[in-house]
Every structure is written in structure tokens, then in C-alpha cells.
Amino acid sequence: MEENEIINGLTEAVVNGKKDQAAELSQKSLDEGVDPYIAVINGLAKGMEIMSEKYENKQAFMPHLLMASNAMYAGMDVLIPHIKTEGSGARKVLVIGAVEGDVHDIGKNLVKTMMSAVGFEAIDLGKDVPVEQFVEAAAQNKADVMSISTLMTSTMDNMQRVMDGLNSKGIRNNMKVIVGGAPITADFATEIGADATKTDAMEAARWAKEAVESLSPGRWD
Amino acid sequence: MDEYTPKKRLALALRGESVDRMPAISVTQTGTVEQMEACGAFWPEANEDAEKMATLAEAGHTVVGFEAVRVPFDITAEAEFFGCEIKAGTKEQQPSVVGHVIKSIEDIEKLKDYDLSEGRIGVVCDAIRILAGKYGDELPIMGSMLGPFSLAQHMNGDDWFMAIMTDEKFAFALMELTTEFNIAYAKKMVDNGADTMVIIDPTASAMLIGDEFYQKFVVPAHKRIVDTMHELNVATVLHICGDTTPSLALMESSDVDAISVDQNVDVATALSKVDSAVIIGNLDPVSVLWKKTPEQIREVSKDLLAAGAGLLGPGCGIVSKTPNANLQAMIEMAKGHTY
């Protein structure tokens, strides 16, 4: 199989939500000597991006998106271990979770998927994540981006507490922070000192990819 | 002379019939901390004890001034009833569903026998009986329940979104279980004195699943519930979150009397999308009702009334920390509005 054929096949497997096909083609790309980074970005991630655009345009919905996401991860599970992690190929780190008190994670998972698609290594803390755990995970993993979500108005205060925690540990400016979820407005994001909020997962990922460029490389040293 | 009781006024308004003025009610949850402090019935106990639930519901009328009483305050009793694991609520926060109980069609079979007097389903019905005994002649007694699609999602987890695409047989079987349950539960609430039924089906947002899946799985289920309620002369309200503008006609096709829209919907546009359904909404529960001043709330309310809202209300559940004064500003604007 030609490299192009494999790459296009990976994109198609994600768009069509074919998990097994994505895993098989990923293995094939390794066997054929395709650069795994290229296979992820130009193959799998591109498929996810296509689906995300379809979702924005109301041509695809949650069922299609979740199928695509499963396919992307099935392929990434095969490819990621083979991507070199040093130097220019190093992946930026995302620490992501739904804030303490909130157990809703569909939106959070979509953000994680799109962030992975644009090249982030996602440290997923899950849902109902204690405030301290966000702070600790950021320090431990030398986070580039932190994403905090909630669907419930009653837990919005906990986002402020995460920001306070980052500040008191002196690491707030080592990363970009994005907050999201149905009740979150741009005013609220500004009020608690986050860098951004976006209305959908793809926009969040695009923002994050660009935002990390302004972070200084040695800031965690 | 006031010829309309609040009960009669709401019954007429929900059906789009002429009435002296707008009723002041909330179709979404009404419990707040200020009310809890005023009446002595607090979450989480008021979610589990019928007397306390009725007391806090009553505070919506006696303390705040809503022209109805409404239970319950959360949307997890249904999933809990079927055995889903629940993360307990607090004084300020409703409980949440964290565990799921159905993976296969065999699991559905095992859950078909149930007793509606059990669990918080029974508690809600008892609270309705208490409220109806006290206020049934005068005030609307509103029952609310999680709708069948969202209940299916609670029971199956996020796999549910894929099941509707990849496993129709399973998806229809689970919808049958939840719809039958919703019908039986709604009838029981009515038996106990409920006269208005609110179906809250957030996950069924066509924004999430698209019109095709909505039409296939959600409309027939809602229609069966609505038809059953109409046979009992009970008005029905459907609340779905998100920007439901493109799907309003589809939502109305279940014959529901009124549709409660969230703050992302433009009320005037919504009205152009429906045939006869009353549009309810849609003050932003966070950035307006909770965070703004009564004066600002009156301004926003004025715009919504001008846009043609059939009933003024919050776009989603009232935030527990919302001040009474803010709710009263909304109530005052509703009461002052003639159609």
C-alpha cells in the first residue's frame, strides 16, 4: 500500500467510525515504515477534524462523533508508542478534567479528543476531580494547557478554587487555562482569571494549539 | 373580582387559551438556599423525605410567590430507581447519576418488574399528595420527571449515543422500558394530585443527536406520554436544553402543550417555528437570574415578554444560590403581563 493510501484510509476509518479498521491500518502504517507522527496528524486527526466540522455544521451528531473518537483512539493506541517524545517532536501536555462536584464528562471527553487530534498528550483526570488534584497534576506533568469543565452551575465556584490553587503554588503562568461547559461565559472566564472559554471542542483545541506557542520553554525548570 | 384561580389560569395559559394575565410559575426546579432557610427543609433531605420535599416546594409559593407548587428538585430519582449509582447531593447541589446499569438487552429484561411505591419515585408521589391536599383546589400541582431518552442514557451511559446508531433493537427495547416507566410514573403522580406534567429530557437535544435520531427514538416516546396525560386532562410541558431552535417543530409533533426553551434560544424565532405550542422561557439561570440585580432582571424580562414568551421563566433549573428578590422580580413581571 502506498503511504498516501494508508493515510487516507486512516482518515476514512475515523470519519466512518470504524475502530477495527483504524487499528489495522495503523499497524499497517508502522509495518510499511510510515512516520507514526504523520499517520496520526495527517491520517487519524484529520478524520476527527472533518467530523468536528460536520458536527459544527449539524451534518453529524454525538453518535457519529463518539464512533469517530473511538476509531481515532484505537489507531492512536497503536501509533503513539512509536512517536519519539524528545526534541521538536515532543507533544504538548494537556491536563483535563471535570471539576469537583461535576460528574458530566461527555463535553470534557470531546475536548480531550480534539486536543489529542491537534497533538496534545492528554492527562485525563476524569470527572468530579478534587481541586488539589488539578494543581498537583499540572505541576507533576509540567502542563502546557489545563482544561477545566463543568455542566453544573453549583460547581462553578470550584473552578475559581483551582485557579487560586495554581496561583498559590506559583505555577499559574506556566500554562494556559481554558474553562468550559454550558453555564460558562466569557465574563466568568475573565472573572476567575482563566485565559479562555470556547463554545465547542474544536475551537478549544485550535485555541490551545496556538496559545501554547507563547509559553517559554524553560518555565518549568 | 378575580375569576381565575392560579390553577385555572395556568391550565388555560398552557393550552394557549385566553386568560386575564400571565401566571407566574417555573416549570424547572424551584428549590433555593434562601427558601430552605426560610422553611427549614433543606437539600439533600428534601430530596428524600416527602414531608420535607412538600415543605420546600410550598416555599416556592409562600416564600417566593410562585403561583404553583412543583416537585421534585432534581432529575436523578428515575435512574436511582432502576439501580444506577448516585453521587449524593448537598445543601446547594442536586445529586448526580454516576453509575449505569444496562449493557445488554438481557439487562433490560431484568429491570421490567418494578414497584412504583419504592424509592424516591414513591417519595415524589407522596409529596404530591401532601401538596394536593393542601393546595389542590387553588394552585397548580406540578410534577416533573426525567424523560425517556435521558433516562435511557443514564441507564446505559455514554454508549447510549452509539447504541442508537449501531444497535437499533437494543435501543428500541430500552426506550420501551423507559417510556413505559415514564407513563406509569406520570399516571401515578396524577393519581396523587398532579395536574401539570413537566418532561425534562436534556440528553434528547436534537443539537446532540440530530433530527433523524430525535424523530426515530424521541418523538414516539414523548407522544405516548403526552397522549396518556391528555386522556387524564393533564397539560404537558417539554423542557430540553441547548439551542433547540431548529428542532422545535419536531418537538411539538409529540403534541406537547408547551415547550420550555433554554437561554440559547431566541424566543421570537422560536415562536415562528411552532404551530400552537406555548413557548416558555428563558432567563439565563446563571448570568441573569442568579448574578444580576432585580432591576436588570426586570429589563431582560421585558424583552422576553415583548418577544412573545407565553410564560416567563428560567431557561433551565433555578440555581440554588439565586436570591429570592431576583425570582420575585421575574414573578412580578409575569404577573404584570396581559396577553
Side-chain angles (χ1 to χ4, degrees):
Chain A
M1 255 176 128
E2 294 280 327
E3 175 165 333
N4 269 348
E5 223 178 309
I6 295 179
I7 300 279
N8 290 339
L10 286 168
T11 303
E12 261 173 56
V14 171
V15 167
N16 296 321
K18 303 283 185 199
K19 192 171 154 183
D20 295 344
Q21 201 179 322
E24 278 163 31
L25 273 171
S26 295
Q27 187 54 52
K28 194 163 183 83
S29 77
L30 289 177
D31 297 345
E32 306 266 328
V34 178
D35 178 346
Y37 180 78
I38 300 291
V40 169
I41 296 298
N42 295 352
L44 298 170
K46 194 174 154 208
M48 203 59 224
E49 216 165 319
I50 291 170
M51 289 311 285
S52 176
E53 267 159 33
K54 285 190 172 194
Y55 183 70
E56 278 174 46
N57 298 329
K58 306 206 186 310
Q59 293 163 329
F61 297 94
M62 196 59 74
H64 317 99
L65 227 46
L66 290 178
M67 300 284 287
S69 159
N70 277 359
M72 184 186 79
Y73 282 121
M76 282 172 74
D77 284 346
V78 176
L79 293 167
I80 296 288
H82 298 274
I83 295 179
K84 61 175 170 78
T85 52
E86 298 298 318
S88 59
R91 301 169 77 209
K92 302 286 186 188
V93 175
L94 163 77
V95 168
I96 185 168
V99 81
E100 188 166 342
D102 194 272
V103 300
H104 303 88
D105 63 355
I106 295 178
K108 186 268 289 171
N109 291 341
L110 281 182
V111 173
K112 176 188 164 191
T113 301
M114 295 320 300
M115 294 272 195
S116 303
V118 300
F120 281 93
E121 178 188 352
I123 312 288
D124 186 357
L125 306 178
K127 48 194 177 185
D128 195 8
V129 179
V131 168
E132 305 73 38
Q133 204 185 326
F134 274 103
V135 180
E136 278 160 29
Q140 205 178 348
N141 297 289
K142 302 184 175 174
D144 296 288
V145 172
M146 176 177 286
S147 169
I148 321 167
S149 66
T150 187
L151 197 65
M152 297 168 79
T153 53
S154 49
T155 60
M156 286 167 68
D157 292 349
N158 287 338
M159 287 186 165
Q160 176 77 69
R161 291 177 53 217
V162 175
M163 297 307 296
D164 293 346
L166 294 175
N167 278 319
S168 64
K169 211 172 161 90
I171 57 173
R172 163 64 187 93
N173 292 325
N174 286 10
M175 73 200 84
K176 298 291 178 181
V177 179
I178 183 165
V179 291
I184 308 301
T185 60
D187 285 349
F188 177 78
T190 311
E191 190 186 313
I192 66 167
D195 295 301
T197 183
K198 296 287 167 190
T199 48
D200 69 66
M202 192 61 226
E203 264 191 63
R206 285 188 188 125
W207 170 84
K209 199 180 172 184
E210 211 179 288
V212 294
E213 296 302 324
S214 65
L215 293 168
S216 76
R219 68 196 190 283
W220 281 107
D221 301 336
Chain B
M1 262 282 287
D2 196 356
E3 63 171 308
Y4 296 96
T5 60
K7 193 183 191 84
K8 187 176 172 195
R9 187 180 290 120
L10 180 66
L12 292 170
L14 281 177
R15 291 168 173 90
E17 288 171 37
S18 85
V19 62
D20 59 340
R21 64 163 174 85
M22 182 178 280
I25 59 133
S26 170
V27 301
T28 50
Q29 94 82 17
T30 60
T32 61
V33 173
E34 284 188 16
Q35 292 174 62
M36 296 173 204
E37 281 162 357
C39 73
F42 292 84
W43 292 352
E45 296 81 17
N47 294 321
E48 283 145 28
D49 177 284
E51 286 286 349
K52 287 178 179 154
M53 186 181 286
T55 301
L56 182 56
E58 183 180 17
H61 173 64
T62 55
V63 175
V64 181
F66 282 118
E67 297 175 296
V69 285
R70 181 200 181 282
V71 287
F73 312 109
D74 72 320
I75 49 171
T76 63
E78 298 81 1
E80 185 181 348
F81 180 76
F82 282 105
C84 292
E85 190 193 333
I86 302 291
K87 178 184 159 70
T90 65
K91 182 174 125 183
E92 291 182 354
Q93 188 176 327
Q94 286 107 328
S96 313
V97 176
V98 291
H100 314 295
V101 288
I102 285 184
K103 277 191 156 35
S104 66
I105 214 151
E106 291 74 34
D107 295 336
I108 298 175
E109 284 303 315
K110 284 181 230 156
L111 291 172
K112 278 189 172 167
D113 284 320
Y114 46 79
D115 175 357
L116 286 173
S117 63
E118 286 178 1
R120 289 204 289 128
I121 295 305
V123 171
V124 171
C125 292
D126 290 344
I128 287 175
R129 199 176 59 244
I130 296 167
L131 290 165
K134 204 162 172 183
Y135 293 105
D137 294 335
E138 187 71 14
L139 294 181
I141 311 292
M142 304 174 70
S144 113
M145 62 184 181
L146 187 73
F149 191 86
S150 302
L151 178 55
Q153 193 267 333
H154 273 168
M155 291 165 85
N156 188 216
D158 290 348
D159 287 349
W160 175 240
F161 289 110
M162 290 185 277
I164 59 173
M165 186 156 121
T166 59
D167 194 349
E168 257 184 28
K169 192 176 166 216
F170 167 79
F172 278 121
L174 184 48
M175 282 305 292
E176 179 66 21
L177 174 73
T178 57
T179 307
E180 282 292 327
F181 163 78
N182 274 125
I183 291 171
Y185 180 28
K187 280 166 90 169
K188 186 161 182 191
M189 284 194 259
V190 174
D191 283 346
N192 281 281
D195 53 50
T196 308
M197 190 57 57
V198 183
I199 303 164
I200 299 182
D201 217 347
T203 312
S205 178
M207 220 179 140
L208 288 180
I209 60 170
D211 285 351
E212 191 191 329
F213 290 117
Y214 188 94
Q215 184 145 32
K216 191 186 261 179
F217 291 101
V218 182
V219 174
H222 285 176
K223 181 146 179 37
R224 281 172 62 195
I225 299 168
V226 169
D227 286 349
T228 307
M229 290 295 99
H230 283 169
E231 280 166 27
L232 300 167
N233 197 29
V234 169
T236 50
V237 181
L238 174 61
H239 176 85
I240 294 184
C241 310
D243 180 5
T244 49
T245 312
S247 327
L248 285 165
L250 208 46
M251 288 162 72
E252 189 182 19
S253 70
S254 65
D255 291 337
V256 69
D257 298 291
I259 299 173
S260 162
V261 294
D262 115 351
Q263 54 280 4
N264 291 303
V265 174
D266 175 66
V267 167
T269 313
L271 278 171
S272 73
K273 302 277 180 190
V274 295
D275 181 22
S276 61
V278 171
I279 296 293
I280 305 178
N282 58 351
L283 291 152
D284 189 319
V286 178
S287 66
V288 178
L289 263 182
W290 173 21
K291 299 279 189 184
K292 292 249 188 321
T293 63
E295 188 45 47
Q296 290 167 313
I297 289 164
R298 278 187 280 270
E299 285 304 313
V300 180
S301 299
K302 207 178 282 174
D303 293 343
L304 292 175
L305 291 168
L311 285 168
L312 187 64
C316 197
I318 292 169
V319 179
S320 64
K321 286 175 271 192
T322 307
N324 285 343
N326 288 8
L327 296 175
Q328 282 157 347
M330 175 179 77
I331 288 169
E332 174 198 317
M333 292 303 290
K335 283 184 170 175
H337 184 74
T338 50
Y339 293 101

